[in-house]
Amino acid sequence: MYIPFSTIKRCSSRGREDQTVVANLDGTILCCRSSFPYFALVAFETGGILRLLFLLVVAPLAGFLHYFISESVRIQVLIFASMAGAKVSDIESVARAVLPRFYAEDLHPETWRVVSASRRRYVLTANPTIMVEPFLKGYLGVDAVVGTEIEIRNGRATGFVRQPGVLVGKKKAAVLRDMLDNSIHIGLGATSSDYPYMKLCKEAYIVPHHTKVEPMSRDRLPRPIVFHDGRFVQRPTPLRALIVVLWIPVGFLLACLRLAAIKLLPMPCLYFVLHALGIRITVKGTPPPPPEKSTGQSCVLFACSHRTLLDPIFLSISLGRPVAAVTYSVSRISEILSLIKTTPLSGNREQDAVMTKKLLEKGDLVICPEGTTCREPILLRFSSLFAGISDQIVPVAVENKMTMFHGTTVRGWKGMDSFFFFMNPSPAYEVTFLQKLPQEFTCTGGKSSHDVANHIQKLIASTLSYECTNFTRKDKYLAVTGNDGTVKMAKPHIDLKNNSRC
């Protein structure tokens, strides 16, 4: 097939500081030309497994219509299958909290080289604007996004599109003429449907399709993605989505079996039983012995990094004995399923300190000073509450691995967190016990509670090769949901790039 434009590798990024670039999304800014994975994410996060199944059923029809009728019809089918009846607020939430990570992991390096060098950036796409705009504007610094507008009634998507319809072919060129009065310097596209608007540009370059192209590293984004949500660990291609749909019934039964074993079997044998059920637990370091009142040995406060709500449970399994935990908030189902005693914090610093001291007098105690989980290789700011309670502090570095589902959520139902973690075919937990904090590094040794908390954060971060940050639970909820986790409030702009501490 004859391509009337040069390839993007011939496009120099020098001297573009005052120029305007216009690009398509699928196959141009993104390496992948198929938008199915992102519609699959919207379908699963807004409608669950049944909507994802429906999307998988109609996906072959959408592909057939694409090749034999038009790209516009394919997009309309995908929009209807993934969004019909869904709340617009849910779609916006997925676009803000779930999709950016997957988009960022599929950025085309050559396209970004040209786009990042240009001062004014515009994107024309057949995908719904509501899906792509938060990522393109919030993380890539795009000035304007023009895509397909979905029809909305009573706060829900109807599954149909508003006029002028799906933005493809000549419609993109028409929109570009109306949108920009000044001349367009660079046009980037991937397929023949992009040619009409590319012909309006002074320079035009095609992004050839290479299956082996390596996506750009997320570290090069203007604004890093620190907090994100969603259940899928990997981008749901059609094959992966099909595997997930087939696996969920089996995985749920397996999760129930694993949870039953944890709840009913004696603690000393759980390590071996869970290993037989496909859960890999690695214990490093030297766990402290249980306290003995006869010898006057003080109870230990375990300061643990926080990856999922199961952290205290796997720490207890690693010790071979149950250890009580204090938590910020857990669902009622999680409390029922837990094999250890959990006590919620009230949020009142003085009351929580008194309560924690009383619990520590009764036995060893686990606390997660971050206050919430984080999926990225960073540690949130450690609360200094625990540091002034005891001088018998053992830092614990916890890390886990999941291949299919994340065991945490902000937007979804937290009662399913444990189930989703155990629905992974072979999840893994690594628990590393560090040396007990020396007396001179505790509050008893003259250190402030903040200094103790910061020191323990650095010790755990060094063990895990993580980065220390000043982010808090409030920052996470503001970034993912637009509220602080308790009261709804306006969505602020959080500078995620300048929050590094060590």
Side-chain angles (χ1 to χ4, degrees):
M1 178 181 176
Y2 171 67
I3 300 177
F5 305 107
S6 299
T7 61
I8 193 170
K9 287 190 175 182
R10 297 188 178 184
C11 180
S12 173
S13 57
R14 296 181 180 179
R16 304 288 188 183
E17 292 80 8
D18 294 323
Q19 294 191 352
T20 301
V21 61
V22 177
N24 185 26
L25 182 65
D26 295 327
T28 306
I29 291 180
L30 303 180
C31 297
C32 181
R33 292 191 176 188
S34 171
S35 54
F36 173 87
Y38 310 106
F39 282 106
L41 288 166
V42 173
F44 184 78
E45 296 295 334
T46 61
I49 187 63
L50 293 180
R51 185 179 287 275
L52 179 59
L53 176 61
F54 178 57
L55 179 64
L56 276 170
V57 170
V58 303
L61 173 63
F64 177 85
L65 295 174
H66 180 198
Y67 286 104
F68 292 97
I69 299 180
S70 69
E71 180 185 0
S72 174
V73 178
R74 178 183 71 90
I75 294 294
Q76 290 185 59
V77 171
L78 294 177
I79 290 175
F80 182 85
S82 61
M83 298 183 183
K87 291 182 179 179
V88 174
S89 59
D90 289 342
I91 299 173
E92 290 174 340
S93 177
V94 173
R96 179 180 62 247
V98 180
L99 296 182
R101 176 177 73 93
F102 293 96
Y103 281 135
E105 292 175 350
D106 194 36
L107 285 177
H108 199 293
E110 289 294 327
T111 304
W112 178 245
R113 174 180 59 84
V114 177
V115 171
S116 62
S118 304
R119 181 180 179 182
R120 294 173 295 276
R121 307 164 187 174
Y122 301 93
V123 174
L124 304 178
T125 176
N127 292 309
T129 307
I130 192 174
M131 281 176 55
V132 301
E133 192 171 53
F135 170 71
L136 293 173
K137 285 189 173 181
Y139 294 96
L140 298 189
V142 172
D143 296 282
V145 179
V146 181
T148 301
E149 300 297 333
I150 63 172
E151 187 180 81
I152 300 171
R153 290 182 184 175
N154 300 321
R156 292 181 179 270
T158 64
F160 301 102
V161 300
R162 288 160 45 188
Q163 293 298 323
V166 178
L167 201 66
V168 294
K170 294 181 179 180
K171 291 181 182 179
K172 289 183 179 180
V175 169
L176 194 59
R177 290 192 193 96
D178 296 337
M179 186 175 65
L180 298 178
D181 296 330
N182 56 322
S183 60
I184 308 159
H185 299 94
I186 311 170
L188 305 176
T191 63
S192 57
S193 65
D194 300 325
Y195 292 173
Y197 79 81
M198 293 173 67
K199 292 177 181 178
L200 301 176
C201 307
K202 291 183 177 179
E203 301 177 44
Y205 300 92
I206 201 77
V207 181
H209 179 59
H210 295 299
T211 56
K212 294 184 179 180
V213 64
E214 196 69 29
M216 187 189 81
S217 171
R218 280 171 49 184
D219 298 336
R220 293 172 57 189
L221 285 174
R223 180 187 171 198
I225 299 175
V226 176
F227 301 114
H228 52 85
D229 204 31
R231 291 296 189 184
F232 283 131
V233 173
Q234 301 182 61
R235 188 162 58 100
T237 60
L239 178 59
R240 286 177 184 160
L242 178 61
I243 292 173
V244 166
V245 169
L246 297 176
W247 172 256
I248 280 183
V250 179
F252 184 76
L253 294 176
L254 180 60
C256 291
L257 178 62
R258 290 166 170 174
L259 285 167
I262 289 176
K263 184 68 176 178
L264 301 176
L265 295 180
M267 181 71 72
C269 69
L270 277 180
Y271 177 90
F272 304 100
V273 173
L274 292 180
H275 189 273
L277 291 174
I279 301 175
R280 295 163 291 158
I281 304 175
T282 304
V283 182
K284 296 182 178 180
T286 305
E292 296 181 7
K293 293 184 179 180
S294 59
T295 61
Q297 181 183 347
S298 300
C299 297
V300 171
L301 180 64
F302 294 98
C304 180
S305 58
H306 204 11
R307 308 310 286 179
T308 74
L309 60 84
L310 297 168
D311 295 337
I313 293 178
F314 278 95
L315 185 145
S316 297
I317 294 172
S318 301
L319 290 171
R321 65 181 190 274
V323 179
V326 291
T327 60
Y328 188 88
S329 62
V330 293
S331 67
R332 181 61 178 161
I333 289 182
S334 298
E335 288 183 353
I336 294 173
L337 294 175
S338 178
L339 79 165
I340 62 174
K341 179 182 178 181
T342 58
T343 304
L345 296 171
S346 65
N348 184 300
R349 193 174 182 86
E350 294 180 358
Q351 292 179 4
D352 290 338
V354 173
M355 178 198 67
T356 307
K357 284 182 180 179
K358 289 181 179 179
L359 290 172
L360 196 56
E361 291 173 358
K362 299 177 181 179
D364 291 346
L365 188 66
V366 182
I367 189 169
C368 298
E370 293 172 276
T372 189
T373 60
C374 185
R375 298 174 177 179
E376 294 298 306
I378 66 170
L379 293 181
L380 308 186
R381 187 176 72 195
F382 274 35
S383 168
S384 59
L385 171 67
F386 74 96
I389 294 173
S390 172
D391 58 358
Q392 302 295 313
I393 303 174
V394 175
V396 182
V398 171
E399 194 171 22
N400 56 27
K401 293 180 181 179
M402 294 154 283
T403 56
M404 190 172 285
F405 303 110
H406 283 293
T408 59
T409 184
V410 174
R411 300 168 40 261
W413 185 26
K414 294 181 181 294
M416 290 298 294
D417 285 355
S418 299
F419 286 93
F420 272 104
F421 176 83
F422 286 116
M423 282 167 63
N424 284 283
S426 184
Y429 244 94
E430 184 176 291
V431 182
T432 303
F433 293 92
L434 306 183
Q435 293 294 325
K436 186 168 70 174
L437 212 62
Q439 193 81 8
E440 59 268 23
F441 288 102
T442 65
C443 292
T444 306
K447 298 290 184 180
S448 70
S449 59
H450 294 286
D451 290 338
V452 175
N454 291 343
H455 178 65
I456 293 176
Q457 185 196 34
K458 290 179 180 179
L459 287 175
I460 295 177
S462 176
T463 302
L464 297 173
S465 298
Y466 283 8
E467 180 183 359
C468 299
T469 73
N470 280 319
F471 291 124
T472 63
R473 181 179 190 274
K474 183 177 180 179
D475 293 325
K476 172 184 172 179
Y477 276 81
L478 285 171
V480 174
T481 68
N483 63 71
D484 63 1
T486 54
V487 181
K488 290 186 178 181
M489 56 192 299
K491 291 179 276 188
H493 172 74
I494 300 176
D495 186 0
L496 296 177
K497 198 170 186 177
N498 299 316
N499 236 311
S500 178
R501 188 167 74 186
C502 67

